[in-house]
Amino acid sequence: MVRAAVLPAVGAPLEITGIELPEPGPGQVRVRLAAAGVCHSDLSLSDGTMRVPVPAVLGHEGAGTVVSVGEGVTQVSPGAGVILNWAPSCGKCHACSLGEVWLCANALTGAGTVYARRTDGTDLYPGLNVAAFAEETVVPAACALPVPDGVPLTDAALLGCAVLTGYGAVHHSAKVQPGETVAVFGVGGVGLATLQAARIAGASKIVAVDVSPEKESLARRAGATDYLVASENTAREIRGLTDKQGVDVAVECVGRAVTIRTAWDSTRRGGRTTVVGIGGKDQQVAFNALEIFHWGRTLSGCVYGNSDPAKDLPVLAEHVRAGRLDLGALVTERIALDGIPAAFDNMLAGKGGRALVVF
């Protein structure tokens, strides 16, 4: 029996309750969580923007210690620190054959498999494969990646989503080059990681944009050289900061039509706009044919930072060890499991960066 945050139905409040977690079967690993980040994607799962089977235990950004392993598991052993990989690639589908493992067609197969039960016998699903909002979880071995040397276990949780996504958006999707200018829309956990990644890439000017003026100090600590409170004049203000050209790269971390459109409008002619934020089907973005031709911009989606966690985690760890990547700067509150519902409310209100559940 372990405590977990259960989503009983789409749109329902989370319930902090005990669940019955089985021992790992063949190819599975049981992990005692050290920490789990509260990500906007969890909120998108709870409100139905992204669909998964329910009732479910949410949480997909986590790290912990291996408690036990099932038959055939050799990648990790009891006592090892691991980062949970919520989107393991199958290595066999078309996307994987192209090396685009972040688009794996089978990455979320596990989310549709019962992994635990409520005390009344009700089946439970792991929201995004790993069910990190729990004291312990059982996952496929492919979802447990070794924590690199020199990265504290609690901080390592942030590498599992926010940092891989933000770093990948800059280095893999937008491919920011030294001296280029960057605008980042949305200063939550992913936005803060994106700002740090832009600084690491050597961007000459990094403009952070958010609806909250209180986030300026967070943004500047992460690497922003300029800060703008979002308004209908944001694109014009960004052009004013870049010799009337617009930025080379805009990264949208919100997932709203108006923000995506503003990010596009803030990008220079021939520049790149990368969308990281996850929006609903009702968020329709309109462009006319002439402007697409005239501006020559590139608009691209970005899934999980277009990252391969197995390859990218050692790179991120080296940045952490060298002091270039500050994982603690992403966290604005450390909470207990019971604090997750309030963390959801803060995200809805646009407050803070990453809330980190510490077990």
Side-chain angles (χ1 to χ4, degrees), residues 3-359:
R3 294 176 73 240
V6 175
L7 177 70
V10 173
L14 292 180
E15 299 175 0
I16 312 300
T17 184
I19 67 170
E20 296 178 353
L21 191 67
E23 288 303 311
Q28 292 184 321
V29 177
R30 183 164 179 150
V31 178
R32 180 180 301 114
L33 272 296
V38 183
C39 179
H40 203 281
S41 295
D42 297 309
L43 189 59
S44 295
L45 292 171
S46 72
D47 66 16
T49 299
M50 297 168 62
R51 291 284 183 174
V52 292
V54 291
V57 174
L58 302 184
H60 61 281
E61 181 183 270
T65 302
V66 175
V67 176
S68 56
V69 301
E71 181 182 351
V73 175
T74 58
Q75 305 96 314
V76 293
S77 57
V82 292
I83 296 170
L84 298 181
N85 174 17
W86 62 268
S89 55
C90 70
K92 300 175 182 178
C93 70
H94 182 63
C96 286
S97 73
L98 297 174
E100 298 173 349
V101 298
W102 54 92
L103 298 178
C104 175
N106 301 307
L108 295 181
T109 301
T113 303
V114 172
Y115 94 111
R117 287 179 173 82
R118 299 193 70 152
T119 53
D120 64 2
T122 303
D123 290 341
L124 287 172
Y125 298 90
L128 281 180
N129 282 329
V130 297
F133 287 168
E135 293 169 331
E136 295 187 13
T137 188
V138 173
V139 300
C143 290
L145 300 177
V147 174
D149 292 340
V151 180
L153 186 59
T154 300
D155 290 347
L158 300 164
L159 296 176
C161 183
V163 179
L164 273 172
T165 300
Y167 183 88
V170 169
H171 290 266
H172 301 323
S173 180
K175 295 181 171 61
V176 175
Q177 300 301 306
E180 289 193 311
T181 55
V182 177
V184 177
F185 291 78
V187 185
V190 172
L192 289 169
T194 304
L195 290 168
Q196 289 205 43
R199 173 175 47 76
I200 291 170
S204 60
K205 182 178 286 292
I206 306 171
V207 185
V209 182
D210 197 276
V211 296
S212 172
E214 287 77 22
K215 291 188 180 182
E216 181 171 359
S217 59
L218 284 173
R220 290 190 180 276
R221 179 182 173 188
T225 58
D226 299 88
Y227 188 84
L228 298 175
V229 177
S231 72
E232 61 183 15
N233 296 317
T234 296
R236 184 180 299 113
E237 291 178 288
I238 289 176
R239 288 195 295 274
L241 293 170
T242 53
D243 296 326
K244 300 182 180 181
Q245 298 301 309
V247 289
D248 296 299
V249 171
V251 182
E252 199 273 357
C253 303
V254 181
R256 295 184 62 233
V258 65
T259 318
I260 295 170
R261 179 70 220 201
T262 303
W264 166 271
D265 289 337
S266 301
T267 309
R268 68 166 175 83
R269 196 175 187 190
R272 291 101 71 200
T273 304
T274 293
V275 178
V276 174
I278 300 172
K281 293 179 180 179
D282 60 325
Q283 296 293 312
Q284 299 290 317
V285 188
F287 306 92
N288 67 61
L290 181 59
E291 69 173 314
I292 292 174
F293 161 77
H294 172 76
W295 289 104
R297 295 165 175 150
T298 300
L299 176 67
S300 62
C302 180
V303 178
Y304 204 7
N306 294 7
S307 294
D308 180 344
K311 294 180 180 178
D312 288 333
L313 285 176
V315 175
L316 294 173
E318 179 55 33
H319 286 308
V320 172
R321 289 191 293 266
R324 293 183 292 267
L325 179 58
D326 182 359
L327 298 178
L330 275 64
V331 180
T332 51
E333 59 175 342
R334 296 175 185 266
I335 60 175
L337 193 64
D338 295 351
I340 295 175
F344 274 18
D345 291 339
N346 285 338
M347 278 194 292
L348 283 169
K351 296 179 180 178
R354 198 47 127 221
L356 189 66
V357 182
V358 179
F359 294 91

